[in-house]
Amino acid sequence: MPLTSGRSRSSEHLQGWKAAIHEYVKLVNQAEIKLDAGVLKGLVSDREHLSRYARKLERLHDREQARYAWTRRNETKAQPVRVNESAHEATVMLRLNQRRSLDQLGLGYVEERSEYERLWLQEQQGHWEVVRIEPMVLERRPRFGAYAGAGMAYEEERGKRRAGSSGMRTQPFVNHDLVLPLTIRTPVQRYRRDRAVAYADNWWNRANPDYEEFEVNCTNYVSQCLFAGGAPMNYTGRRESGWWYKGRDNGKEWWSYSWAVSHALQALFATPRSEGLRGILVERPEQLELGDVILYDWSGDGRYQHSTIVTAFDADRMPLVNANTVASRHRYWDYRDSYAWTEATRYRLVHLEEEF
């Protein structure tokens, strides 16, 4: 049952909790345009979430005002992923797909992202209302194993997308369409930022079946982008060193932590080296270029939990990024529009070397 706001179909033929979900998607779309969570109050009784959502929209309002940016159009589509229902109650796992058209200083661009929420609905005196909302703050989850959270609807859905794939690979992964075989590589390989960005835009909201898809997929996705741009793998055979990916063989994981874990990737960049994948830590986002990397420490405790890749710039030449787990395309780099963001958030800005 796909649900769409904006030019949405009439909800008159929908009944019960389905009509309430349809109305919820419509109100979320209005809230995202007005940057005001108050429009949800007539349908949503979860005060904790309304307060949480209001704080997020307030941050977004302040940021967009400072950037001289405004939303020209917003489209929200939703897809129930899993539903449990009884006569007077329902629990719905909802995937919300947002598409915002922005204008900033005369320059227009489109930002897209997909987020997940779990909604609890109850019927009270013939009226359905949303009594609880739990956003899935996937950028904050530290796990990286493939489907380590078995049983959750989010992982179930991603598993379905991979149905029919054996997940087995016994040879080192080499994308022959994008890089030369390792045996004939030239001593110096130039980083092709255009190819890294093209890969990032092609796979931002879907999984490349040639790779394992992780429960927390952001760093795996960024590593794929860097590899597509020509970054050479360093096959050490040890998970704690190098930067490499082979796949899964008889249930055993063959990839380095730096390939799949944000904190390990930032540690790789923070360690000086003369060859292979390396980057320079910079202080300001304006110093980044296409194909560079931003890593996020939400708690400010030195543990990095999220990774993105720069794929565009706004009118002020501030980075717009792509990401996975919460699939995002051309999202403003600071992530103040995320539930994962806190006042303690720290960023690691990495400018990749031009040659490897």
Side-chain angles (χ1 to χ4, degrees):
M1 183 188 68
L3 304 169
T4 307
S5 68
R7 298 178 179 176
S8 62
R9 62 185 184 182
S10 171
S11 61
E12 294 179 357
H13 67 291
L14 296 175
Q15 298 179 352
W17 64 265
K18 294 181 180 180
I21 289 290
H22 187 279
E23 182 66 14
Y24 173 73
V25 175
K26 176 182 175 181
L27 293 176
V28 165
N29 194 69
Q30 292 180 15
E32 293 287 330
I33 294 173
K34 298 179 179 180
L35 300 181
D36 178 11
V39 300
L40 295 173
K41 289 182 178 179
L43 178 66
V44 178
S45 60
D46 184 345
R47 294 184 177 180
E48 180 180 356
H49 178 71
L50 288 174
S51 177
R52 175 172 53 217
Y53 189 36
R55 291 193 299 271
K56 187 178 84 160
L57 291 182
E58 286 170 6
R59 294 196 304 268
L60 185 56
H61 173 271
D62 293 344
R63 188 189 74 187
E64 303 301 60
Q65 197 171 48
R67 299 173 58 216
Y68 297 98
W70 58 281
T71 302
R72 290 186 300 177
R73 185 170 185 265
N74 194 83
E75 183 179 18
T76 303
K77 295 182 178 180
Q79 181 71 41
V81 176
R82 185 168 124 186
V83 176
N84 291 316
E85 59 181 317
S86 63
H88 302 288
E89 294 183 337
T91 304
V92 181
M93 177 67 74
L94 200 64
R95 184 176 68 242
L96 289 167
N97 301 314
Q98 299 272 352
R99 180 182 173 89
R100 297 175 66 213
S101 298
L102 295 102
D103 185 279
Q104 184 202 17
L105 300 174
L107 177 67
Y109 70 92
V110 175
E111 172 190 290
E112 299 177 89
R113 70 179 185 273
S114 296
E115 298 181 314
Y116 291 79
E117 294 180 346
R118 184 181 282 112
L119 279 65
W120 285 260
L121 302 96
Q122 290 181 355
E123 182 186 19
Q124 299 179 0
Q125 299 179 342
H127 170 72
W128 283 84
E129 67 178 38
V130 181
V131 298
R132 182 182 171 194
I133 300 176
E134 179 184 291
M136 296 188 68
V137 191
L138 300 170
E139 305 104 318
R140 193 182 289 163
R141 298 169 72 184
R143 304 166 87 170
F144 70 93
Y147 307 105
M152 296 187 64
Y154 172 69
E155 283 76 31
E156 289 177 0
E157 185 200 16
R158 298 182 85 173
K160 290 176 182 177
R161 296 205 305 263
R162 300 175 65 249
S165 173
S166 66
M168 302 291 286
R169 182 177 295 280
T170 58
Q171 298 296 322
F173 183 90
V174 177
N175 189 335
H176 294 279
D177 294 331
L178 296 175
V179 296
L180 295 172
L182 298 179
T183 55
I184 61 172
R185 286 177 64 94
T186 59
V188 175
Q189 178 75 15
R190 188 167 184 82
Y191 183 37
R192 290 295 303 273
R193 297 178 182 275
D194 57 336
R195 290 182 175 179
V197 170
Y199 185 97
D201 280 343
N202 187 38
W203 297 101
W204 74 275
N205 63 346
R206 60 196 181 106
N208 184 339
D210 285 336
Y211 291 94
E212 195 80 21
E213 185 183 14
F214 302 134
E215 178 184 345
V216 176
N217 202 56
C218 58
T219 308
N220 176 40
Y221 165 75
V222 168
S223 288
Q224 291 175 35
C225 296
L226 301 183
F227 181 61
M233 292 190 191
N234 177 16
Y235 290 99
T236 64
R238 300 190 304 275
R239 306 200 69 191
E240 68 278 6
S241 65
W243 179 74
W244 55 276
Y245 178 95
K246 286 179 63 178
R248 186 182 292 272
D249 188 5
N250 293 322
K252 188 173 182 179
E253 300 170 346
W254 289 94
W255 53 78
S256 65
Y257 292 123
S258 60
W259 181 276
V261 183
S262 294
H263 190 70
L265 181 60
Q266 74 82 28
L268 181 76
F269 285 129
T271 303
R273 55 177 41 83
S274 59
E275 60 183 12
L277 177 63
R278 62 196 189 280
I280 302 170
L281 303 184
V282 298
E283 296 182 356
R284 302 189 311 277
E286 304 96 304
Q287 296 174 279
L288 297 175
E289 297 182 23
L290 293 175
D292 284 342
V293 173
I294 304 178
L295 302 117
Y296 301 75
D297 168 13
W298 305 120
S299 303
D301 60 1
R303 296 290 301 180
Y304 289 81
Q305 298 167 290
H306 187 52
S307 309
T308 68
I309 182 169
V310 178
T311 54
F313 294 96
D314 72 1
D316 291 327
R317 210 194 171 281
M318 298 296 282
L320 305 176
V321 299
N322 284 24
N324 242 202
T325 304
V326 174
S328 303
R329 178 178 178 270
H330 295 180
R331 189 171 184 172
Y332 193 73
W333 73 275
D334 69 4
Y335 263 69
R336 293 175 70 91
D337 59 350
S338 170
Y339 288 115
W341 188 90
T342 72
E343 294 289 347
T345 296
R346 295 165 56 188
Y347 307 95
R348 185 80 85 191
L349 311 174
V350 182
H351 172 62
L352 269 71
E353 296 281 6
E354 299 299 328
E355 295 179 343
F356 303 113

